Amino acid sequence: MTALDYGIKVVKAGKSITSTDLRDIIMSSKYSMLKQHSTTTGSATISQGGTSCYVDFSHSLGYIPAFLAYVSVSGFESSKERMIPNYSWGSIAGSEEYNFFGISNAYANSSTIRCSYNLAVPYNTVAYDADGVFWEYQTGGDDPVGVVFGNPGEGGKSTGWHFSGVQVPKDSALTSAQIEIKNVFSGPTNSDTKYKIWGIDEDNVGDINDLGKSTTDAYDARNQAKVGGFWNFGTDCKDQVAEIIARNNWAAGNNMGFYIRDDASVSGAYVGAALNSVSATLTVVRTGTITVTFRVIIFKDKIL
Amino acid sequence: MIIFYNKKTRDIFGVVDGRVFDDSEKQMIHPQDMDKSLIGKYVVPYKQKLIEIEVPIEKWFIKNKKTLEVEKRVVGNKKETVSDGMIPNVNFADLITDFEYGRKNIYDYRVILDNKKTVIGFEFKV
């Protein structure tokens, strides 16, 4: 008998201990094996606007153990568990577009295994740059300037803003909606500029060439204080967006429009913008939560 | 099985599989979005399941007096109590077993707590 002739071997019920088929063997001292410490699942949530979550799994091993980790995301690829790390993308339930990009990661130290999940874009959040603006008042020349809203001295002036392909499903519950116009400046007077913002009450807004389109019942009336230098103007439009997406023929991917109208501002009170550098973004955040579930198999075997 | 739940919402967010732990007090699952003070932990108690089986009574007999060859013969039967593994030592043991074997998804349930905040069962989340 040589040293290679003895050891411990356990085979499946009904199989011969002399079997050389590895599929019959449950355990053999001939081969090194990982020794399982625990199998654990844990979940965390990412709410609208959020981009990441993690779960800490404690272990009491006192050293860095070998482990395997898997992840699944509610509403995304049901009944699948992806091995960590991974990069996955696709559509999530309830969303109309290919809008889901997630990255998972995991690490271990001597007391904890942390599994994390990160979204490339905030959950349930879509943002679109304006692709058309109607200026009621603008100057000519090489560096034209327009009035977003207010009174440049020739009476109240307004603008219309057009956003294409807005991926918000009909009747979605909204957390927020906002229009941000970048690189604006205030008129010379210290008085507030008064404005009202309406949505354009159409299913799929075409080019905006005037201020005559019908508007939503919902509007906001606000005062904008004078601000020095160039700044970014932001205004809430949640109620207007909610009214538009409640229309019978609204569909995700349709175009949306808004009017920002002067509301009897005094002469010299306005918010202006250089037409060559102005940009506007509509950001809509839908209410919702995804649950990210991690599965971790921890081994007693030390890797460090 | 160790079950982790949110003390406020009673929702289950973590599970450690297994029936015997030598470090159950050290086991912890902590999601980022939950304050540690809200984490509830329930270590399911287990007990040995004992069953009574009939086992043969065997005796050795000399088969060949010349060669003194012996053989074992069954002379009767007796009843013996043996272990048939571990079972949850709670009155909702069947549900725990369903969770263990994946017949029911534990995350579809939330814990039921009594006045002392002790887990006394599970309810299906509608």
Side-chain angles (χ1 to χ4, degrees):
Chain A
M1 182 182 283
T2 69
L4 291 174
D5 291 334
Y6 57 87
I8 297 171
K9 194 172 173 185
V10 179
V11 294
K12 291 177 183 172
K15 300 294 179 183
S16 169
I17 197 71
T18 58
S19 171
T20 53
D21 187 340
L22 279 177
R23 290 169 297 184
D24 295 343
I25 299 171
I26 294 170
M27 179 261 161
S28 169
S29 57
K30 192 174 173 184
Y31 306 103
S32 62
M33 298 175 72
L34 291 168
K35 297 172 285 297
Q36 190 169 325
H37 173 67
S38 62
T39 300
T40 308
T41 57
S43 60
T45 56
I46 301 176
S47 297
Q48 66 279 339
T51 55
S52 66
C53 70
Y54 65 74
V55 177
D56 284 338
F57 299 88
S58 69
H59 63 79
S60 54
L61 296 169
Y63 51 82
I64 300 176
F67 70 98
L68 293 170
Y70 301 83
V71 65
S72 60
V73 179
S74 63
F76 179 65
E77 294 188 327
S78 61
S79 304
K80 278 187 186 174
E81 292 203 14
R82 286 180 175 267
M83 198 165 190
I84 294 175
N86 76 66
Y87 176 58
S88 50
W89 61 93
S91 300
I92 202 154
S95 177
E96 305 277 323
E97 65 172 356
Y98 209 60
N99 66 343
F100 187 78
F101 299 90
I103 302 161
S104 62
N105 202 355
Y107 71 80
N109 59 29
S110 60
S111 63
T112 305
I113 290 174
R114 173 171 292 185
C115 296
S116 59
Y117 200 79
N118 291 273
L119 296 173
V121 294
Y123 179 58
N124 258 1
T125 302
V126 289
Y128 302 92
D129 290 335
D131 57 355
V133 188
F134 171 73
W135 300 88
E136 191 179 16
Y137 178 92
Q138 66 181 78
T139 64
D142 292 337
D143 298 310
V145 169
V147 169
V148 179
F149 57 87
N151 184 349
E154 300 176 24
K157 303 298 176 188
S158 307
T159 46
W161 300 83
H162 185 271
F163 301 90
S164 291
V166 179
Q167 289 285 355
V168 179
K170 179 173 162 50
D171 295 326
S172 298
L174 302 180
T175 298
S176 67
Q178 190 190 42
I179 291 174
E180 184 182 48
I181 303 173
K182 290 180 177 166
N183 300 318
V184 299
F185 58 87
S186 297
T189 179
N190 287 326
S191 299
D192 286 357
T193 305
K194 297 177 180 177
Y195 70 97
K196 289 179 179 172
I197 175 168
W198 272 274
I200 294 176
D201 197 22
E202 294 181 6
D203 297 325
N204 194 16
V205 177
D207 291 344
I208 302 174
N209 298 314
D210 56 40
L211 299 169
K213 294 179 183 289
S214 64
T215 57
T216 54
D217 293 333
Y219 70 91
D220 287 293
R222 295 202 176 88
N223 291 2
Q224 174 60 54
K226 178 183 171 75
V227 180
F230 286 91
W231 48 283
N232 298 334
F233 164 76
T235 188
D236 175 77
C237 56
K238 178 183 165 189
D239 291 342
Q240 294 86 330
V241 171
E243 189 174 331
I244 293 167
I245 64 172
R247 290 178 58 85
N248 284 339
N249 293 314
W250 168 264
N254 282 4
N255 306 329
M256 206 174 265
F258 299 86
Y259 287 138
I260 306 178
R261 288 176 166 161
D262 176 64
D263 187 23
S265 303
V266 299
S267 179
Y270 63 88
V271 171
L275 270 55
N276 293 333
S277 61
V278 67
S279 67
T281 305
L282 168 67
T283 303
V284 181
V285 181
R286 290 190 293 132
T287 304
T289 300
I290 51 170
T291 301
V292 181
T293 302
F294 301 101
R295 182 184 303 277
V296 181
I297 302 168
I298 305 173
F299 299 99
K300 291 189 183 295
D301 303 76
K302 182 178 177 180
I303 57 171
L304 198 63
Chain B
M1 177 174 265
I2 305 174
I3 298 165
F4 293 87
Y5 60 91
N6 183 322
K7 288 179 182 173
K8 204 172 176 183
T9 65
R10 300 184 287 116
D11 287 332
I12 295 163
F13 64 84
V15 176
V16 182
D17 292 340
R19 295 183 163 191
V20 181
F21 298 94
D22 49 12
D23 60 349
S24 62
E25 76 286 347
K26 292 179 183 169
Q27 295 273 2
M28 178 56 69
I29 299 175
H30 185 197
Q32 177 191 18
D33 54 351
M34 192 178 298
D35 190 277
K36 218 166 186 174
S37 65
L38 288 177
I39 297 175
K41 180 178 176 181
Y42 176 56
V43 182
V44 178
Y46 285 87
K47 65 179 180 185
Q48 209 169 50
K49 183 183 178 186
L50 298 174
I51 55 168
E52 205 170 61
I53 58 168
E54 277 208 340
V55 292
I57 302 168
E58 295 174 324
K59 279 191 173 177
W60 290 99
F61 291 89
I62 295 172
K63 191 178 175 186
N64 186 329
K65 285 182 180 174
K66 230 176 186 180
T67 62
L68 291 179
E69 186 185 352
V70 293
E71 69 175 358
K72 202 191 278 182
R73 292 181 198 156
V74 175
V75 295
N77 286 313
K78 63 177 179 180
K79 288 189 174 174
E80 209 167 77
T81 303
V82 297
S83 171
D84 191 34
M86 307 281 282
I87 54 168
N89 189 16
V90 286
N91 56 12
F92 42 90
D94 289 347
L95 191 55
I96 294 287
T97 306
D98 284 344
F99 293 154
E100 286 180 318
Y101 288 96
R103 292 190 288 261
K104 287 180 177 164
N105 183 355
I106 193 168
Y107 293 110
D108 289 339
Y109 290 76
R110 60 167 64 94
V111 297
I112 301 171
L113 303 172
D114 65 9
N115 292 338
K116 293 176 183 173
K117 304 293 179 192
T118 305
V119 174
I120 55 170
F122 296 84
E123 65 183 11
F124 190 73
K125 287 194 284 190
V126 180

